[in-house]
Amino acid sequence: KDLYEKNFQGNEIFKHEHDLMQDRVPFCNFSGDIEQVIIDTHISLVIETYFDWPGTIAFSEKIFRALQLPRPLILFAAPGSIEVLRKYGFDVWDDIIDHGYDNEQHPIQRQIMILNLLDSWRAKTYTDTQLAEFEQRAESNRLLLKKLRMDWPRRLKTVLDQLKT
């Protein structure tokens, strides 16, 4: 709480957002080894760098790591990012996660929608059957990433050839 307040100093233009979120954003809500905590989570929240640049959809290694994990994910990125991943064929857990936030243009409102979604997952537990299904989804995403990686040299050559003409 003290750190949250300290980070707010000098950013009074965000008072409304600060007041909305001050009791909802834990800086650390775990103890132990971070790698094990990541493995044990019930949902992944990926925060991409360009979440507030309209029309700029860019993916980092963070999303590609999360797509390979056997758990649902939420992506705080530019509007339409989930749709792009979906079009490439990635399983973005549409049947489990309401990605309505992906259509919200205002970054603060999108953030609030994501926090509300995360609140609804606090008490989630999974059955062994669900966990096995989650592993299949992750494997499907891994195979797609492998295919895209193998196809990259050909696609790059096509782009370079088009630039020469």
Side-chain angles (χ1 to χ4, degrees):
K1 183 103 176 149
D2 291 340
L3 182 57
Y4 186 79
E5 294 303 325
K6 181 178 180 186
N7 286 329
F8 176 62
Q9 292 173 6
N11 293 301
E12 283 72 21
I13 62 168
F14 298 110
K15 175 147 181 47
H16 176 70
E17 292 83 3
H18 173 270
D19 292 345
L20 281 172
M21 296 171 45
Q22 66 185 343
D23 296 324
R24 302 176 70 195
V25 182
F27 279 89
C28 183
N29 60 358
F30 64 89
S31 61
D33 181 355
I34 186 69
E35 288 81 10
Q36 189 59 48
V37 171
I38 291 169
I39 297 299
D40 292 341
T41 59
H42 289 103
I43 192 167
S44 293
L45 170 62
V46 179
I47 303 171
E48 282 293 0
T49 305
Y50 301 106
F51 66 87
D52 61 346
W53 287 23
T56 303
I57 295 178
F59 300 117
S60 70
E61 80 289 350
K62 295 177 284 193
I63 187 58
F64 297 116
R65 267 194 235 136
L67 285 165
Q68 298 179 68
L69 294 173
R71 75 180 55 81
L73 61 90
I74 296 172
L75 178 58
F76 185 41
S81 295
I82 287 289
E83 181 61 30
V84 169
L85 292 170
R86 196 181 288 124
K87 284 179 181 175
Y88 270 99
F90 288 103
D91 187 335
V92 292
W93 309 83
D94 284 317
D95 57 322
I96 295 176
I97 299 286
D98 174 6
H99 290 292
Y101 63 85
D102 192 49
N103 299 316
E104 175 56 51
Q105 295 298 310
H106 192 274
I108 300 299
Q109 187 57 40
R110 192 166 56 258
Q111 184 177 21
I112 290 167
M113 291 172 75
I114 288 170
L115 288 170
N116 287 336
L117 188 55
L118 286 169
D119 272 348
S120 71
W121 281 80
R122 287 188 187 274
K124 278 280 190 212
T125 58
Y126 302 127
T127 66
D128 288 341
T129 303
Q130 285 175 305
L131 292 173
E133 177 199 334
F134 290 1
E135 181 53 44
Q136 290 174 346
R137 290 171 179 241
E139 182 61 22
S140 174
N141 283 341
R142 286 183 211 117
L143 291 173
L144 180 55
L145 280 167
K146 194 178 288 187
K147 179 181 175 249
L148 291 170
R149 184 181 70 214
M150 299 291 282
D151 197 33
W152 172 244
R154 182 194 62 76
R155 294 180 72 185
L156 178 60
K157 183 180 181 327
T158 300
V159 169
L160 292 175
D161 289 346
Q162 290 172 347
L163 289 173
K164 288 178 186 176
T165 59

